[in-house]
Amino acid sequence: MSDRTIRLVLAIGDPKPERWTEPLKSSLPGASIEVFSENTPIGEADYAIVWRPPAALFEQQTRLKAIFCIGAGVDGLIAVPTLPDDVPVVRLENAGMAVQMAEYVAYQIIDVSRDMSLYREQQARNIWKPQRPIDRPAWPVGIMGLGQIGGRVAKMLTQLEYPVHGWSRSRHEIDQVRSYAGQDEFKDFLNASRILVNTLPLTDDTRGIINAETIDQLLPEAVIINVGRGGHLNENDLLKALAERRVMRAALDVFENEPLPEEYPFWRDPHIRITPHVAATTLRNETIAQIADKILALEAGRTITGIVDRQYNY
């Protein structure tokens, strides 16, 4: 690090910001780190570390060199109206999130493909009755998005010997995974999928991508697993497909409205599994280490990865 003091501002909404500031000081000795408050003006910072920051942050901080988001998804940050156009936005790259996501998706797929919910019902009724063994070819998995997270999900599922293929904007080479790319191949991808896993970033092009038309092109008795964003899902279309049994189960970790309101129909549908946005949570130590390394690289004039393309929001 140079002799110049690096100035950081933290705006992540953590009620205990010292859980971030203290490790950051250890990773960036000599750096000045202040917690943003709309009521307490602070000096101009070089870098901002944020999660869904208030618009006032960028009204106050006008000399930022880069903005670091502590999540892999940046749609909440991009939506801030005062976000400067000329400052690089850097997303979190993995930092322990990909393996969590792979675990979550694998759990949901195993639960449905191995009839685990039926065994739980049998246990409650003192019934000893083995079900038919799994027929893996009957459970082809289609993963929307093959980036660091989707790619890790795909690799884990191939190790469990499920048929796996993926769809993304550009083609990816992943061992034992058939890659579909672009809108022209989307229908073929859906036609080959019974379990549809969404790990896409939320953009104008992907909003509402899980809808009636998409669902109708899946194999019968489909399963929907959404770990991307709530905005990817047309909720009414899913509820209708569940009622008509075109979808046999949905596992939803993300929602348009969070926390999910108590009166929401999802709570009452026995074919929906709900978790409170926990499929992959930010691991603080790994995140701080990644951000600190990138700040040091920028200070040394080196290029970094993870800079968001504003055209695609990732």
Side-chain angles (χ1 to χ4, degrees):
M1 185 183 300
S2 69
D3 293 336
R4 186 185 69 83
T5 299
I6 300 175
R7 299 181 63 87
L8 277 66
V9 58
L10 191 70
I12 60 174
D14 192 325
K16 296 182 179 180
E18 65 274 9
R19 293 185 290 196
W20 291 81
T21 56
E22 294 306 314
L24 277 166
K25 289 176 182 177
S26 297
S27 299
L28 296 168
S32 170
I33 304 169
E34 296 189 84
V35 178
F36 177 75
S37 169
E38 294 188 48
N39 301 320
T40 306
I42 59 176
E44 293 278 4
D46 301 303
Y47 304 99
I49 300 173
V50 305
W51 177 250
R52 299 187 181 276
L57 172 68
F58 302 117
E59 293 172 346
Q60 183 188 113
Q61 297 294 323
T62 60
R63 301 177 185 174
L64 294 171
K65 297 179 181 179
I67 301 164
F68 290 87
C69 180
I70 64 168
V74 298
D75 47 287
L77 173 57
I78 297 297
V80 177
T82 56
L83 180 72
D85 295 330
D86 57 346
V87 179
V89 170
V90 186
R91 61 181 172 82
L92 194 63
E93 295 181 284
N94 192 354
M97 299 180 75
V99 67
Q100 294 178 69
M101 196 74 80
E103 289 171 339
Y104 181 94
V105 172
Y107 168 81
Q108 298 293 348
I109 290 175
I110 292 167
D111 189 68
V112 67
S113 65
R114 295 289 305 274
D115 289 317
M116 292 302 174
S117 60
L118 183 54
Y119 286 124
R120 287 192 289 272
E121 293 173 9
Q122 290 181 182
Q123 178 180 346
R125 297 161 57 195
N126 303 335
I127 295 174
W128 180 281
K129 182 182 178 182
Q131 301 298 318
R132 289 180 298 177
I134 186 173
D135 177 17
R136 281 186 175 79
W139 296 95
V141 182
I143 301 170
M144 295 197 295
L146 287 176
Q148 289 198 355
I149 289 177
R152 183 63 179 268
V153 172
K155 290 174 184 176
M156 176 173 284
L157 294 176
T158 61
Q159 292 175 346
L160 296 174
E161 299 184 12
Y162 287 91
V164 181
H165 47 277
W167 176 81
S168 50
R169 184 167 57 89
S170 57
R171 203 171 306 282
H172 291 253
E173 297 295 331
I174 301 175
D175 190 35
Q176 301 181 64
V177 176
R178 180 173 179 180
S179 176
Y180 295 81
Q183 197 59 42
D184 290 345
E185 297 182 8
F186 190 47
K187 181 178 179 180
D188 291 339
F189 161 79
L190 295 172
N191 291 166
S193 304
R194 180 179 180 185
I195 300 175
L196 184 66
V197 180
N198 176 46
T199 71
L200 290 167
L202 183 61
T203 68
D204 291 342
D205 291 334
T206 64
R207 180 172 289 278
I209 194 170
I210 307 174
N211 52 40
E213 182 180 1
T214 297
I215 292 169
D216 285 345
Q217 295 179 76
L218 297 172
L219 293 170
E221 296 186 300
V223 175
I224 306 292
I225 301 175
N226 188 19
V227 291
R229 285 289 185 267
H232 287 121
L233 175 66
N234 184 310
E235 297 176 350
N236 289 330
D237 286 357
L238 174 63
L239 287 169
K240 188 172 186 290
L242 285 164
E244 296 173 352
R245 302 306 290 143
R246 287 179 290 126
V247 172
M248 65 179 296
R249 182 184 294 185
L252 308 177
D253 184 60
V254 288
F255 305 89
E256 193 76 79
N257 298 302
E258 297 182 3
L260 196 63
E262 291 184 9
E263 68 277 8
Y264 230 67
F266 284 175
W267 290 115
R268 299 186 296 274
D269 194 309
H271 306 297
I272 296 179
R273 303 292 183 265
I274 291 172
T275 50
H277 206 144
V278 294
T281 58
T282 299
L283 300 180
R284 189 163 50 249
N285 291 340
E286 288 84 345
T287 298
I288 288 171
Q290 184 178 132
I291 291 174
D293 286 346
K294 289 186 177 181
I295 288 174
L296 291 175
L298 290 173
E299 287 293 298
R302 301 194 301 271
T303 58
I304 62 171
T305 58
I307 295 177
V308 173
D309 185 332
R310 300 285 186 99
Q311 181 180 355
Y312 301 109
N313 284 4
Y314 64 92

